[in-house]
Amino acid sequence: MNYRVTTALTTLILATAVIAGCGNNPDDNTVSQPAPTIDTTTQVLDPFVDDTADGQQKETVTRIIDLGNQRKAPDNTIIAALIASRAEGSWRVHHSGSGGRNLFGWSQKWDNRPALDDGAVTDAIENFYAGADSPENAAKKDDPVDYAVTIQLSDRLGGRVYFEDRTAYDANLPDFRTEDTVRNTYTEALPYARAAFDQFS
């Protein structure tokens, strides 16, 4: 009698253990999924991805940065210059045609030297930095986009006026028609300007 009870209890304990084990183990046919991971890699922006002018963009950028450094200009001032140059002409010195403009967007009527003249390029950059140094413009320096727009709109060299200059040749320039559209275009140029500055500074 004791033998039968002992056998029955042993059988019950083994059966309970098997059932408990089946409940804890995953089905053999179930494929375990890896824990999701977060990709923290940030793709680096190539600031010269659209340079089709034999390296002219890099030459312009390095000139802007070098002249800024010679003036001991703060980083945001140099970045503002890069923003304006990128937004206005994609860092190219000029656009071809009768309505050609320098690297900061001003029409060639303000300078009768050839568009690729070394002195004209340097003067355009130096003029921007001179505008950046004025107290009323420098007050905007914490925001490089606002800073760049303010410098451009305040430029009165030779009597020129920003928006009037853009209609001098009946140019259709929707990105520069109002201050808001100018600001939007400059904002789009900001990441390129920062990437170029980081690359050459």
Side-chain angles (χ1 to χ4, degrees), residues 158-170:
R160 66 189 180 191
V161 178
Y162 185 87
F163 292 109
E164 290 180 10
D165 185 61
R166 274 145 187 73
T167 60
Y169 295 97
D170 296 322

Side-chain angles (χ1 to χ4, degrees), residues 45-58 86 89-92 192:
L45 174 69
D46 178 4
F48 307 108
V49 66
D50 56 354
D51 188 357
T52 58
D54 299 325
Q56 187 185 100
Q57 288 185 348
K58 290 184 180 180
R86 172 73 191 187
S90 193
W91 289 324
R92 291 180 179 86
Y192 292 91

Side-chain angles (χ1 to χ4, degrees), residues 24-139:
N24 290 334
N25 292 331
D27 191 326
D28 289 341
N29 295 325
T30 302
V31 178
S32 61
Q33 297 295 326
T37 58
I38 299 174
D39 184 6
T40 57
T41 303
T42 302
Q43 187 173 0
V44 177
L45 174 69
D46 178 4
F48 307 108
V49 66
D50 56 354
D51 188 357
T52 58
D54 299 325
Q56 187 185 100
Q57 288 185 348
K58 290 184 180 180
E59 291 177 10
T60 301
V61 165
T62 54
R63 175 99 54 111
I64 290 170
I65 293 174
D66 288 346
L67 289 173
N69 287 334
Q70 289 174 28
R71 298 174 68 100
K72 300 187 183 329
D75 290 355
N76 266 11
T77 302
I78 297 173
I79 291 171
L82 292 172
I83 290 171
S85 180
R86 172 73 191 187
E88 298 285 348
S90 193
W91 289 324
R92 291 180 179 86
V93 173
H94 75 295
H95 296 289
S96 60
S98 60
R101 299 176 184 279
N102 72 14
L103 71 171
F104 287 105
W106 296 104
S107 64
Q108 292 303 125
K109 73 175 185 173
W110 301 108
D111 193 334
N112 59 11
R113 290 172 290 185
L116 296 175
D117 182 272
D118 192 67
V121 174
T122 297
D123 287 351
I125 300 170
E126 293 285 14
N127 180 66
F128 185 93
Y129 282 134
D133 289 341
S134 70
E136 60 272 24
N137 293 341

Side-chain angles (χ1 to χ4, degrees), residues 137-150:
N137 293 341
K140 307 275 189 176
K141 66 183 178 182
D142 289 340
D143 181 340
V145 169
D146 195 28
Y147 194 21
V149 172
T150 301

